[in-house]
Amino acid sequence: MGKKVVGLALLILVGVGLVSFIYVLTNNKIVVGYNQGYAPEQPIPFPHDLHAGQYKIDCKYCHSQVEVSKHAAVPSLNVCMNCHMGVQVRAEAQKYIDQVTEAYNKGESIAWQKVHLLPDHVKFNHAAHVKAGKSCQTCHGPVETMQVMKQNASMAMGWCVNCHRQPENNAPLNCSTCHY
Ligand code: HEC
Ligand code: HEC
Ligand code: HEC
Ligand code: HEC
Ligand code: HEC
């Protein structure tokens, strides 16, 4: 047997091994990548359409980690209080502002429900995409029109890979780019 054949056989074995290993790891979470349209109820109904749409508050004012970190992160309550110490809201919404203020005064936080959640074996990095000039809306859709935040894209592997494949994106395609 030539060295090439042995080499090829080994490569296939390692490949099959890796895929089954990842499969076993993710067996319980197979649906995680396919939550398109998921819009969980939030402890406080926070309207993106009002803040980012009508009042045109910059996404990065609240999601300030997005350019520097893997995670975009949800703002802490002092960011809300910068405005809600003073801003008048409609009477029906005052109870929500009272809840935010009370939590803030007690040093507590609001238990926002996560909308997007990739499986643990996937690597994603916000900063790299934002620096490459991709707008938030490319992946998250028209957030400035959403009364309730929802997952806009499938966020399945094919969705990521399709964009990475576009020649103008010059983005990496090897498995280890996106997988631990
Ligand atoms: C290339 C696609 C893409 C772009 C561009 C993008 N996001 Fe994301 N975003 C994602 C994915 C994928 C997740 C889920 C990440 C996870 O579960 O680890 C996510 C998650 C989030 C989260 C939840 C917290 C977190 O980091 O997991 C917030 C908030 C967020 N994005 C805001 C933004 C904002 C604001 C922008 C623009 C400045 C933006 N995103 C641009 C794909 C993108
Ligand atoms: C830059 C200023 C600003 C920041 C920061 C801000 N808000 Fe607001 N918020 C407003 C304005 C302006 C209104 C609308 C007032 C009106 O016209 O009724 C509003 C309205 C609201 C309402 C009432 C919505 C309704 O249905 O009428 C809620 C709830 C709310 N904000 C929650 C929050 C929370 C939670 C945060 C922090 C994550 C936050 N806001 C951060 C300016 C801000
Ligand atoms: C005034 C503050 C504020 C502004 C401005 C804002 N957001 Fe958010 N964002 C929040 C809060 C609070 C949450 C958590 C509650 C929720 O999901 O509705 C959130 C949640 C999100 C999530 C889902 C996070 C998860 O759990 O996966 C995404 C994506 C997101 N924002 C994107 C954006 C984009 C894109 C813009 C600009 C068009 C924007 N946000 C503007 C405060 C803000
Ligand atoms: C809209 C197009 C687009 C989508 C969708 C997209 N990416 Fe990317 N991605 C890019 C581009 C462009 C780059 C190259 C950034 C650069 O210049 O280094 C990149 C780079 C990366 C990198 C390398 C980051 C680094 O630190 O160099 C990772 C990891 C990555 N993407 C993961 C993902 C994952 C996981 C998904 C799906 C959940 C995804 N991407 C969806 C366009 C996209
Ligand atoms: C651009 C990013 C990206 C690249 C490159 C990529 N993947 Fe993925 N992969 C993902 C994301 C995101 C998921 C989770 C969502 C899903 O299951 O579709 C995933 C899921 C998987 C799963 C689990 C599928 C399931 O049903 O749970 C396996 C196995 C996998 N990838 C193997 C690979 C292999 C092998 C390669 C190289 C040939 C590769 N991936 C390259 C982003 C990527």
Side-chain angles (χ1 to χ4, degrees):
M1 249 196 323
K3 272 188 182 164
K4 269 190 183 162
V5 179
V6 176
L8 189 66
L10 259 176
L11 201 70
I12 292 172
L13 263 180
V14 170
V16 169
L18 184 70
V19 172
S20 10
F21 180 63
I22 296 176
Y23 182 79
V24 169
L25 274 183
T26 57
N27 209 10
N28 295 325
K29 294 208 218 157
I30 237 144
V31 294
V32 174
Y34 300 94
N35 290 335
Q36 190 163 19
Y38 181 54
E41 193 182 322
Q42 298 294 344
I44 287 172
F46 173 82
H48 273 84
D49 57 353
L50 191 71
H51 289 86
Q54 194 175 329
Y55 286 96
K56 300 194 163 42
I57 304 170
D58 187 0
C59 311
K60 290 174 212 156
Y61 180 84
C62 289
H63 301 290
S64 55
Q65 296 302 305
V66 77
E67 281 176 303
V68 293
S69 142
K70 276 163 76 166
H71 291 289
V74 164
S76 52
L77 295 184
N78 63 306
V79 175
C80 315
M81 294 316 289
N82 285 345
C83 293
H84 284 289
M85 222 97 91
V87 167
Q88 270 292 313
V89 299
R90 62 198 176 92
E92 300 91 315
Q94 186 56 45
K95 60 174 182 277
Y96 303 127
I97 302 303
D98 292 345
Q99 259 174 277
V100 172
T101 308
E102 198 186 312
Y104 173 76
N105 288 338
K106 286 188 188 156
E108 290 169 358
S109 49
I110 302 287
W112 303 111
Q113 296 299 299
K114 268 193 89 53
V115 181
H116 302 78
L117 192 55
L118 291 173
D120 291 341
H121 59 85
V122 177
K123 289 185 215 168
F124 179 77
N125 186 330
H126 267 97
H129 290 90
V130 174
K131 283 192 194 129
K134 301 298 167 201
S135 75
C136 313
Q137 284 80 357
T138 311
C139 299
H140 293 296
V143 167
E144 66 284 355
T145 66
M146 292 178 191
Q147 194 182 356
V148 179
M149 171 55 61
K150 69 161 193 272
Q151 180 172 323
N152 180 69
S154 75
M155 301 208 162
M157 177 162 141
W159 175 75
C160 315
V161 170
N162 270 342
C163 183
H164 279 216
R165 264 202 203 116
Q166 307 301 316
E168 72 272 17
N169 279 335
N170 202 13
L173 283 164
N174 50 317
C175 314
S176 64
T177 302
C178 301
H179 290 289
Y180 289 104

